[in-house]
Amino acid sequence: MKTVKTLLAASLLAAGTMTAAAQATYTDQEGNDYQFKKHLFLDLQAGGQYTLGEGKFGDMLSPNFQIGLGYQFSPAFAMRLQANGLQSRGGWSGFRDKVGDQPFTAKYKFNYVAPGLDFMLNLSNLFCGWNPNRVLNVTAFLGAGVNVAYGNDEVQDIAANLQNLNNYNLQYLWDGTKARPFGRGGVDISIRVSKGVSIMLEGNANVLTDKYNSKKAGNSDWYFNALAGVRINLGKSKKSHPYQEPVQPAPVVENKYVEPTPAPQPEVKKEKEEIRRDIHFKINSSVVNQVGKDKIKELADFMKNHEDAKLTIVGYADKNTGTAAYNKRISERRALSVFNILTKEYGIQAHRISYTFKGDVEQPFPSNDDNRVAICVGTAE
């Protein structure tokens, strides 16, 4: 079915090319860092359906239910196995086969269940950045599956009293159980009410072959669902990076032994050895990425190879994001993140390292994004 293939191709393209842009870290107003965590979620929904047809609008409405089990792979991209179903409808309203005929009005319903797979794109996280505390999220989705229709008895009873089925467009009258592919798309709006629960409002449109409602129209058959329900996260959706206090240097024990004064020696001037590494960070984050960790290892190797070396770390924040007070705090956490890795993971003595922070008062780089940085300079005599 060409329409279904088009929907699937579009959804896969959106998932593959757009979700990488969604930010996976977040820093709240208290300065706590959080990172997105993959998780399952459960959707429970109920509502109504409108089956597109020639009957009166009210006659084409029916109840509808949906259950879905999804997996959130990233802040923007998720996949959901869902099953939608209950009733669809068909009918005629004042139908005349030719001029002069008595108007014919009738309606009928039949049952179905439609399991399928949805590819979901959280537009709020994609365009505004991931925020685990956001109250309202808007998600678009495309999907496909199989519609299994059955219980078509009412239109069979109507057809038994009609002389010519073709005059009433019943060329596709079916009986028993019929399985047909369908494609669908829609939007859901979730309103967060607690850490793991959101209220959901969803609208979706579903397209099938012309044979779904037993009537020949020369185009695809459609039905539309409006649903409300809840979304429950099955597991934690974030993990925290709590603020870490710096390791205090060990007290220096004064050595009272007085070395004898050596004989004067001619002064030999030594050249200083230096190393500089710039550790860059994502917006609103003090989490060191893998590139930054590789640079910190180089700093640690320098310190180990030069026992007299000292290291200075200066944290910065870009001027175009956040308030001055917030930028001061996050620049401190960036410097502190580097300090903690050097002392805790590589065992560099804390008294050999000093760190400070400038917030957005100083901007060492011309590019705004480059100023989310901790600049580290090591010097050995």
Side-chain angles (χ1 to χ4, degrees), residues 80-120:
R80 175 177 67 177
L81 287 170
Q82 53 78 23
N84 177 278
L86 192 58
Q87 290 181 358
S88 288
R89 291 183 177 267
W92 302 262
S93 177
F95 175 80
R96 290 183 175 90
D97 178 44
K98 59 182 181 296
V99 177
D101 286 353
Q102 289 292 324
F104 179 73
T105 298
K107 62 180 179 180
Y108 58 90
K109 64 179 180 292
F110 54 96
N111 300 320
Y112 80 95
V113 61
L117 178 65
D118 292 335
F119 298 88
M120 310 181 75

mmCIF file of all heavy atoms in Angstrom, residues 80-120:
data_model
loop_
_atom_site.group_PDB
_atom_site.id
_atom_site.type_symbol
_atom_site.label_atom_id
_atom_site.label_comp_id
_atom_site.label_asym_id
_atom_site.label_seq_id
_atom_site.Cartn_x
_atom_site.Cartn_y
_atom_site.Cartn_z
ATOM 1 N N ARG A 80 6.259 3.165 19.653
ATOM 2 C CA ARG A 80 5.140 2.679 20.454
ATOM 3 C C ARG A 80 4.397 1.566 19.721
ATOM 4 O O ARG A 80 3.986 1.741 18.569
ATOM 5 C CB ARG A 80 4.176 3.833 20.756
ATOM 6 C CG ARG A 80 2.907 3.425 21.496
ATOM 7 C CD ARG A 80 2.026 4.622 21.819
ATOM 8 N NE ARG A 80 1.471 5.244 20.633
ATOM 9 C CZ ARG A 80 0.624 6.270 20.652
ATOM 10 N NH1 ARG A 80 0.263 6.799 21.818
ATOM 11 N NH2 ARG A 80 0.160 6.793 19.539
ATOM 12 N N LEU A 81 4.255 0.413 20.377
ATOM 13 C CA LEU A 81 3.348 -0.627 19.917
ATOM 14 C C LEU A 81 1.975 -0.314 20.495
ATOM 15 O O LEU A 81 1.833 -0.185 21.713
ATOM 16 C CB LEU A 81 3.828 -2.004 20.395
ATOM 17 C CG LEU A 81 5.054 -2.590 19.698
ATOM 18 C CD1 LEU A 81 5.533 -3.828 20.446
ATOM 19 C CD2 LEU A 81 4.741 -2.944 18.252
ATOM 20 N N GLN A 82 0.980 -0.186 19.631
ATOM 21 C CA GLN A 82 -0.345 0.182 20.106
ATOM 22 C C GLN A 82 -1.405 -0.685 19.440
ATOM 23 O O GLN A 82 -1.190 -1.249 18.378
ATOM 24 C CB GLN A 82 -0.622 1.662 19.857
ATOM 25 C CG GLN A 82 -0.423 2.140 18.421
ATOM 26 C CD GLN A 82 -1.563 1.783 17.496
ATOM 27 O OE1 GLN A 82 -2.681 1.563 17.932
ATOM 28 N NE2 GLN A 82 -1.273 1.701 16.209
ATOM 29 N N ALA A 83 -2.541 -0.794 20.108
ATOM 30 C CA ALA A 83 -3.710 -1.482 19.559
ATOM 31 C C ALA A 83 -4.912 -0.573 19.755
ATOM 32 O O ALA A 83 -5.235 -0.183 20.878
ATOM 33 C CB ALA A 83 -3.932 -2.820 20.253
ATOM 34 N N ASN A 84 -5.539 -0.215 18.645
ATOM 35 C CA ASN A 84 -6.688 0.686 18.649
ATOM 36 C C ASN A 84 -7.903 -0.077 18.131
ATOM 37 O O ASN A 84 -7.772 -0.932 17.253
ATOM 38 C CB ASN A 84 -6.388 1.895 17.749
ATOM 39 C CG ASN A 84 -7.545 2.842 17.628
ATOM 40 O OD1 ASN A 84 -8.452 2.620 16.832
ATOM 41 N ND2 ASN A 84 -7.519 3.895 18.409
ATOM 42 N N GLY A 85 -9.081 0.222 18.654
ATOM 43 C CA GLY A 85 -10.224 -0.489 18.111
ATOM 44 C C GLY A 85 -11.528 -0.278 18.833
ATOM 45 O O GLY A 85 -11.622 0.457 19.798
ATOM 46 N N LEU A 86 -12.549 -0.898 18.353
ATOM 47 C CA LEU A 86 -13.901 -1.114 18.848
ATOM 48 C C LEU A 86 -14.868 -1.084 17.672
ATOM 49 O O LEU A 86 -15.205 -2.134 17.135
ATOM 50 C CB LEU A 86 -14.344 -0.123 19.925
ATOM 51 C CG LEU A 86 -15.641 -0.541 20.640
ATOM 52 C CD1 LEU A 86 -15.480 -1.907 21.280
ATOM 53 C CD2 LEU A 86 -16.064 0.502 21.652
ATOM 54 N N GLN A 87 -15.281 0.122 17.197
ATOM 55 C CA GLN A 87 -16.286 0.192 16.135
ATOM 56 C C GLN A 87 -15.917 1.216 15.071
ATOM 57 O O GLN A 87 -15.306 2.240 15.362
ATOM 58 C CB GLN A 87 -17.656 0.584 16.711
ATOM 59 C CG GLN A 87 -18.317 -0.469 17.566
ATOM 60 C CD GLN A 87 -19.659 0.009 18.065
ATOM 61 O OE1 GLN A 87 -20.079 1.146 17.797
ATOM 62 N NE2 GLN A 87 -20.372 -0.854 18.782
ATOM 63 N N SER A 88 -16.317 0.909 13.833
ATOM 64 C CA SER A 88 -16.367 1.883 12.750
ATOM 65 C C SER A 88 -17.781 1.853 12.185
ATOM 66 O O SER A 88 -18.557 0.923 12.446
ATOM 67 C CB SER A 88 -15.347 1.555 11.660
ATOM 68 O OG SER A 88 -14.038 1.824 12.090
ATOM 69 N N ARG A 89 -18.114 2.877 11.381
ATOM 70 C CA ARG A 89 -19.494 2.981 10.897
ATOM 71 C C ARG A 89 -19.552 3.312 9.404
ATOM 72 O O ARG A 89 -18.570 3.769 8.804
ATOM 73 C CB ARG A 89 -20.249 4.057 11.688
ATOM 74 C CG ARG A 89 -20.511 3.659 13.137
ATOM 75 C CD ARG A 89 -21.318 4.684 13.863
ATOM 76 N NE ARG A 89 -21.623 4.259 15.224
ATOM 77 C CZ ARG A 89 -22.723 3.616 15.591
ATOM 78 N NH1 ARG A 89 -23.643 3.302 14.681
ATOM 79 N NH2 ARG A 89 -22.926 3.263 16.853
ATOM 80 N N GLY A 90 -20.726 3.089 8.827
ATOM 81 C CA GLY A 90 -21.017 3.458 7.448
ATOM 82 C C GLY A 90 -22.478 3.819 7.337
ATOM 83 O O GLY A 90 -23.256 3.617 8.265
ATOM 84 N N GLY A 91 -22.874 4.354 6.150
ATOM 85 C CA GLY A 91 -24.282 4.679 6.002
ATOM 86 C C GLY A 91 -24.574 5.550 4.807
ATOM 87 O O GLY A 91 -23.693 5.892 4.011
ATOM 88 N N TRP A 92 -25.866 5.901 4.671
ATOM 89 C CA TRP A 92 -26.368 6.777 3.623
ATOM 90 C C TRP A 92 -27.271 7.824 4.271
ATOM 91 O O TRP A 92 -27.965 7.536 5.252
ATOM 92 C CB TRP A 92 -27.193 6.007 2.596
ATOM 93 C CG TRP A 92 -26.490 4.880 1.914
ATOM 94 C CD1 TRP A 92 -25.895 4.909 0.695
ATOM 95 C CD2 TRP A 92 -26.345 3.536 2.392
ATOM 96 N NE1 TRP A 92 -25.371 3.677 0.372
ATOM 97 C CE2 TRP A 92 -25.638 2.807 1.402
ATOM 98 C CE3 TRP A 92 -26.733 2.872 3.562
ATOM 99 C CZ2 TRP A 92 -25.323 1.464 1.546
ATOM 100 C CZ3 TRP A 92 -26.413 1.538 3.693
ATOM 101 C CH2 TRP A 92 -25.711 0.838 2.705
ATOM 102 N N SER A 93 -27.281 9.008 3.742
ATOM 103 C CA SER A 93 -28.161 10.055 4.239
ATOM 104 C C SER A 93 -28.867 10.706 3.044
ATOM 105 O O SER A 93 -28.244 11.451 2.279
ATOM 106 C CB SER A 93 -27.377 11.104 5.023
ATOM 107 O OG SER A 93 -28.215 12.155 5.448
ATOM 108 N N GLY A 94 -30.166 10.376 2.855
ATOM 109 C CA GLY A 94 -30.939 10.934 1.738
ATOM 110 C C GLY A 94 -30.365 10.548 0.398
ATOM 111 O O GLY A 94 -30.394 11.334 -0.553
ATOM 112 N N PHE A 95 -29.867 9.311 0.269
ATOM 113 C CA PHE A 95 -29.209 8.870 -0.965
ATOM 114 C C PHE A 95 -30.249 8.568 -2.045
ATOM 115 O O PHE A 95 -31.265 7.915 -1.802
ATOM 116 C CB PHE A 95 -28.368 7.624 -0.680
ATOM 117 C CG PHE A 95 -27.739 7.026 -1.906
ATOM 118 C CD1 PHE A 95 -26.588 7.568 -2.436
ATOM 119 C CD2 PHE A 95 -28.316 5.923 -2.539
ATOM 120 C CE1 PHE A 95 -26.008 7.014 -3.565
ATOM 121 C CE2 PHE A 95 -27.738 5.367 -3.664
ATOM 122 C CZ PHE A 95 -26.570 5.916 -4.181
ATOM 123 N N ARG A 96 -29.977 9.035 -3.284
ATOM 124 C CA ARG A 96 -30.804 8.718 -4.448
ATOM 125 C C ARG A 96 -29.892 8.200 -5.546
ATOM 126 O O ARG A 96 -28.901 8.832 -5.886
ATOM 127 C CB ARG A 96 -31.547 9.952 -4.962
ATOM 128 C CG ARG A 96 -32.671 10.452 -4.055
ATOM 129 C CD ARG A 96 -33.363 11.641 -4.727
ATOM 130 N NE ARG A 96 -34.536 12.095 -3.973
ATOM 131 C CZ ARG A 96 -34.485 13.012 -3.022
ATOM 132 N NH1 ARG A 96 -33.310 13.564 -2.697
ATOM 133 N NH2 ARG A 96 -35.581 13.384 -2.380
ATOM 134 N N ASP A 97 -30.250 7.032 -6.081
ATOM 135 C CA ASP A 97 -29.464 6.486 -7.189
ATOM 136 C C ASP A 97 -29.673 7.309 -8.447
ATOM 137 O O ASP A 97 -28.750 7.513 -9.234
ATOM 138 C CB ASP A 97 -29.847 5.030 -7.422
ATOM 139 C CG ASP A 97 -29.105 4.416 -8.595
ATOM 140 O OD1 ASP A 97 -27.888 4.654 -8.693
ATOM 141 O OD2 ASP A 97 -29.729 3.709 -9.412
ATOM 142 N N LYS A 98 -30.904 7.800 -8.647
ATOM 143 C CA LYS A 98 -31.200 8.651 -9.795
ATOM 144 C C LYS A 98 -32.331 9.590 -9.430
ATOM 145 O O LYS A 98 -33.022 9.401 -8.426
ATOM 146 C CB LYS A 98 -31.558 7.814 -11.026
ATOM 147 C CG LYS A 98 -32.747 6.890 -10.859
ATOM 148 C CD LYS A 98 -32.956 6.086 -12.128
ATOM 149 C CE LYS A 98 -34.168 5.153 -12.024
ATOM 150 N NZ LYS A 98 -33.969 4.131 -10.999
ATOM 151 N N VAL A 99 -32.504 10.597 -10.238
ATOM 152 C CA VAL A 99 -33.532 11.595 -9.972
ATOM 153 C C VAL A 99 -34.902 10.922 -9.932
ATOM 154 O O VAL A 99 -35.250 10.098 -10.803
ATOM 155 C CB VAL A 99 -33.501 12.695 -11.047
ATOM 156 C CG1 VAL A 99 -34.632 13.706 -10.808
ATOM 157 C CG2 VAL A 99 -32.152 13.399 -11.043
ATOM 158 N N GLY A 100 -35.690 11.273 -8.937
ATOM 159 C CA GLY A 100 -37.020 10.715 -8.791
ATOM 160 C C GLY A 100 -37.116 9.575 -7.802
ATOM 161 O O GLY A 100 -38.219 9.206 -7.377
ATOM 162 N N ASP A 101 -35.959 8.958 -7.442
ATOM 163 C CA ASP A 101 -35.990 7.878 -6.452
ATOM 164 C C ASP A 101 -36.312 8.423 -5.069
ATOM 165 O O ASP A 101 -36.047 9.593 -4.765
ATOM 166 C CB ASP A 101 -34.624 7.168 -6.390
ATOM 167 C CG ASP A 101 -34.392 6.267 -7.594
ATOM 168 O OD1 ASP A 101 -35.339 6.096 -8.386
ATOM 169 O OD2 ASP A 101 -33.256 5.767 -7.723
ATOM 170 N N GLN A 102 -36.899 7.574 -4.242
ATOM 171 C CA GLN A 102 -37.108 7.931 -2.854
ATOM 172 C C GLN A 102 -35.762 8.026 -2.136
ATOM 173 O O GLN A 102 -34.892 7.178 -2.334
ATOM 174 C CB GLN A 102 -37.992 6.878 -2.161
ATOM 175 C CG GLN A 102 -39.433 6.889 -2.607
ATOM 176 C CD GLN A 102 -40.157 8.156 -2.168
ATOM 177 O OE1 GLN A 102 -39.901 8.684 -1.094
ATOM 178 N NE2 GLN A 102 -41.044 8.655 -3.044
ATOM 179 N N PRO A 103 -35.563 9.066 -1.323
ATOM 180 C CA PRO A 103 -34.277 9.177 -0.596
ATOM 181 C C PRO A 103 -34.099 8.000 0.366
ATOM 182 O O PRO A 103 -35.044 7.590 1.035
ATOM 183 C CB PRO A 103 -34.394 10.502 0.142
ATOM 184 C CG PRO A 103 -35.866 10.771 0.234
ATOM 185 C CD PRO A 103 -36.494 10.177 -0.992
ATOM 186 N N PHE A 104 -32.874 7.485 0.379
ATOM 187 C CA PHE A 104 -32.578 6.309 1.203
ATOM 188 C C PHE A 104 -31.619 6.712 2.323
ATOM 189 O O PHE A 104 -30.551 7.268 2.069
ATOM 190 C CB PHE A 104 -31.957 5.208 0.338
ATOM 191 C CG PHE A 104 -31.598 3.969 1.110
ATOM 192 C CD1 PHE A 104 -32.573 3.109 1.567
ATOM 193 C CD2 PHE A 104 -30.263 3.670 1.396
ATOM 194 C CE1 PHE A 104 -32.248 1.951 2.270
ATOM 195 C CE2 PHE A 104 -29.926 2.529 2.101
ATOM 196 C CZ PHE A 104 -30.924 1.666 2.542
ATOM 197 N N THR A 105 -31.997 6.459 3.565
ATOM 198 C CA THR A 105 -31.167 6.760 4.726
ATOM 199 C C THR A 105 -31.029 5.511 5.583
ATOM 200 O O THR A 105 -32.038 4.859 5.891
ATOM 201 C CB THR A 105 -31.775 7.891 5.567
ATOM 202 O OG1 THR A 105 -31.845 9.083 4.771
ATOM 203 C CG2 THR A 105 -30.924 8.178 6.798
ATOM 204 N N ALA A 106 -29.815 5.156 5.910
ATOM 205 C CA ALA A 106 -29.552 3.987 6.760
ATOM 206 C C ALA A 106 -28.162 4.133 7.353
ATOM 207 O O ALA A 106 -27.324 4.905 6.862
ATOM 208 C CB ALA A 106 -29.667 2.693 5.967
ATOM 209 N N LYS A 107 -27.916 3.408 8.411
ATOM 210 C CA LYS A 107 -26.587 3.410 9.032
ATOM 211 C C LYS A 107 -26.278 2.007 9.528
ATOM 212 O O LYS A 107 -27.181 1.194 9.757
ATOM 213 C CB LYS A 107 -26.533 4.411 10.185
ATOM 214 C CG LYS A 107 -27.494 4.101 11.331
ATOM 215 C CD LYS A 107 -27.390 5.142 12.436
ATOM 216 C CE LYS A 107 -28.382 4.824 13.570
ATOM 217 N NZ LYS A 107 -28.305 5.819 14.659
ATOM 218 N N TYR A 108 -24.988 1.713 9.681
ATOM 219 C CA TYR A 108 -24.562 0.417 10.182
ATOM 220 C C TYR A 108 -23.206 0.562 10.865
ATOM 221 O O TYR A 108 -22.492 1.540 10.655
ATOM 222 C CB TYR A 108 -24.488 -0.607 9.045
ATOM 223 C CG TYR A 108 -23.553 -0.224 7.913
ATOM 224 C CD1 TYR A 108 -22.204 -0.591 7.926
ATOM 225 C CD2 TYR A 108 -24.028 0.509 6.815
ATOM 226 C CE1 TYR A 108 -21.364 -0.239 6.889
ATOM 227 C CE2 TYR A 108 -23.185 0.858 5.783
ATOM 228 C CZ TYR A 108 -21.850 0.488 5.819
ATOM 229 O OH TYR A 108 -21.006 0.839 4.801
ATOM 230 N N LYS A 109 -22.890 -0.417 11.672
ATOM 231 C CA LYS A 109 -21.586 -0.427 12.355
ATOM 232 C C LYS A 109 -20.966 -1.796 12.223
ATOM 233 O O LYS A 109 -21.648 -2.806 11.953
ATOM 234 C CB LYS A 109 -21.752 -0.051 13.830
ATOM 235 C CG LYS A 109 -22.574 -1.010 14.661
ATOM 236 C CD LYS A 109 -22.635 -0.536 16.119
ATOM 237 C CE LYS A 109 -23.466 -1.486 16.987
ATOM 238 N NZ LYS A 109 -24.892 -1.446 16.635
ATOM 239 N N PHE A 110 -19.660 -1.842 12.396
ATOM 240 C CA PHE A 110 -18.927 -3.103 12.414
ATOM 241 C C PHE A 110 -17.735 -2.942 13.355
ATOM 242 O O PHE A 110 -17.377 -1.823 13.744
ATOM 243 C CB PHE A 110 -18.477 -3.520 11.004
ATOM 244 C CG PHE A 110 -17.698 -2.475 10.261
ATOM 245 C CD1 PHE A 110 -16.314 -2.486 10.250
ATOM 246 C CD2 PHE A 110 -18.358 -1.456 9.559
ATOM 247 C CE1 PHE A 110 -15.592 -1.529 9.564
ATOM 248 C CE2 PHE A 110 -17.646 -0.492 8.867
ATOM 249 C CZ PHE A 110 -16.259 -0.526 8.867
ATOM 250 N N ASN A 111 -17.137 -4.036 13.757
ATOM 251 C CA ASN A 111 -16.073 -4.023 14.763
ATOM 252 C C ASN A 111 -14.694 -4.171 14.116
ATOM 253 O O ASN A 111 -14.559 -4.695 12.998
ATOM 254 C CB ASN A 111 -16.284 -5.153 15.772
ATOM 255 C CG ASN A 111 -17.609 -5.013 16.495
ATOM 256 O OD1 ASN A 111 -18.023 -3.917 16.854
ATOM 257 N ND2 ASN A 111 -18.297 -6.128 16.694
ATOM 258 N N TYR A 112 -13.674 -3.750 14.850
ATOM 259 C CA TYR A 112 -12.310 -3.918 14.365
ATOM 260 C C TYR A 112 -11.334 -3.807 15.534
ATOM 261 O O TYR A 112 -11.642 -3.271 16.602
ATOM 262 C CB TYR A 112 -11.961 -2.850 13.313
ATOM 263 C CG TYR A 112 -11.599 -1.513 13.906
ATOM 264 C CD1 TYR A 112 -10.272 -1.165 14.135
ATOM 265 C CD2 TYR A 112 -12.587 -0.604 14.269
ATOM 266 C CE1 TYR A 112 -9.935 0.055 14.702
ATOM 267 C CE2 TYR A 112 -12.263 0.616 14.831
ATOM 268 C CZ TYR A 112 -10.930 0.941 15.045
ATOM 269 O OH TYR A 112 -10.601 2.148 15.614
ATOM 270 N N VAL A 113 -10.134 -4.327 15.331
ATOM 271 C CA VAL A 113 -8.989 -4.062 16.189
ATOM 272 C C VAL A 113 -7.803 -3.831 15.272
ATOM 273 O O VAL A 113 -7.640 -4.540 14.265
ATOM 274 C CB VAL A 113 -8.729 -5.219 17.183
ATOM 275 C CG1 VAL A 113 -8.418 -6.518 16.455
ATOM 276 C CG2 VAL A 113 -7.592 -4.862 18.133
ATOM 277 N N ALA A 114 -6.982 -2.810 15.588
ATOM 278 C CA ALA A 114 -5.918 -2.403 14.667
ATOM 279 C C ALA A 114 -4.596 -2.254 15.416
ATOM 280 O O ALA A 114 -4.260 -1.159 15.885
ATOM 281 C CB ALA A 114 -6.295 -1.095 13.974
ATOM 282 N N PRO A 115 -3.817 -3.338 15.561
ATOM 283 C CA PRO A 115 -2.486 -3.215 16.153
ATOM 284 C C PRO A 115 -1.513 -2.574 15.166
ATOM 285 O O PRO A 115 -1.620 -2.787 13.945
ATOM 286 C CB PRO A 115 -2.103 -4.668 16.452
ATOM 287 C CG PRO A 115 -2.876 -5.472 15.455
ATOM 288 C CD PRO A 115 -4.161 -4.732 15.220
ATOM 289 N N GLY A 116 -0.571 -1.794 15.691
ATOM 290 C CA GLY A 116 0.386 -1.141 14.808
ATOM 291 C C GLY A 116 1.586 -0.609 15.573
ATOM 292 O O GLY A 116 1.686 -0.728 16.800
ATOM 293 N N LEU A 117 2.505 -0.004 14.835
ATOM 294 C CA LEU A 117 3.743 0.555 15.376
ATOM 295 C C LEU A 117 3.813 2.024 15.009
ATOM 296 O O LEU A 117 3.672 2.384 13.836
ATOM 297 C CB LEU A 117 4.958 -0.190 14.818
ATOM 298 C CG LEU A 117 6.341 0.308 15.250
ATOM 299 C CD1 LEU A 117 6.536 0.102 16.745
ATOM 300 C CD2 LEU A 117 7.438 -0.415 14.470
ATOM 301 N N ASP A 118 4.011 2.886 16.018
ATOM 302 C CA ASP A 118 4.126 4.327 15.809
ATOM 303 C C ASP A 118 5.564 4.782 16.020
ATOM 304 O O ASP A 118 6.244 4.334 16.948
ATOM 305 C CB ASP A 118 3.234 5.105 16.781
ATOM 306 C CG ASP A 118 1.756 4.912 16.497
ATOM 307 O OD1 ASP A 118 1.408 4.595 15.347
ATOM 308 O OD2 ASP A 118 0.943 5.071 17.432
ATOM 309 N N PHE A 119 6.020 5.697 15.160
ATOM 310 C CA PHE A 119 7.306 6.374 15.326
ATOM 311 C C PHE A 119 6.989 7.784 15.826
ATOM 312 O O PHE A 119 6.307 8.551 15.141
ATOM 313 C CB PHE A 119 8.065 6.426 14.001
ATOM 314 C CG PHE A 119 8.397 5.069 13.456
ATOM 315 C CD1 PHE A 119 7.498 4.402 12.645
ATOM 316 C CD2 PHE A 119 9.594 4.448 13.776
ATOM 317 C CE1 PHE A 119 7.793 3.148 12.139
ATOM 318 C CE2 PHE A 119 9.893 3.190 13.284
ATOM 319 C CZ PHE A 119 8.984 2.534 12.462
ATOM 320 N N MET A 120 7.480 8.130 17.019
ATOM 321 C CA MET A 120 7.038 9.331 17.719
ATOM 322 C C MET A 120 8.175 10.343 17.857
ATOM 323 O O MET A 120 9.314 9.977 18.181
ATOM 324 C CB MET A 120 6.498 8.956 19.096
ATOM 325 C CG MET A 120 5.487 7.824 19.067
ATOM 326 S SD MET A 120 4.831 7.382 20.692
ATOM 327 C CE MET A 120 3.719 8.776 20.971
#
